[in-house]
Amino acid sequence: ERSQRVRALFATGDAHEAVTIAHSLRIDYLYVDDTDIGAYGAGTRKFDDNPALFERVFANQQARVYRIR
């Protein structure tokens, strides 16, 4: 069940829904790499598009890390 909820967090295009899921799972930080982008494509754009909800705290060519607000 938790794995399905994490998949939903990445797949949804709704940033507020993703934050709600993250809070319910007590996730404070998200690690996003090329594998996640390949699997969830547009769903991962919400992280950069919503800095008030997902603060980017680290980025390099391979991965990004966001703090859930």
Side-chain angles (χ1 to χ4, degrees), residues 31-48:
Y31 175 91
V32 181
D33 63 13
D34 290 339
T35 301
D36 300 314
I37 293 167
Y40 300 103
T44 61
R45 288 190 202 124
K46 69 182 160 289
F47 304 129
D48 281 324

Side-chain angles (χ1 to χ4, degrees), residues 28-30 47-48 50-58 64-69:
D28 296 320
Y29 291 86
L30 285 177
F47 304 129
D48 281 324
N50 295 280
L53 300 175
F54 303 97
E55 176 188 6
R56 190 191 305 186
V57 295
F58 174 82
R64 298 183 303 264
V65 177
Y66 301 91
R67 182 171 66 98
I68 307 297
R69 295 187 160 212

Side-chain angles (χ1 to χ4, degrees), residues 1-9 21 24-25:
E1 179 190 342
R2 287 180 61 85
S3 294
Q4 289 175 345
R5 292 173 71 196
V6 170
R7 280 191 289 278
L9 184 158
I21 293 168
S24 73
L25 295 171

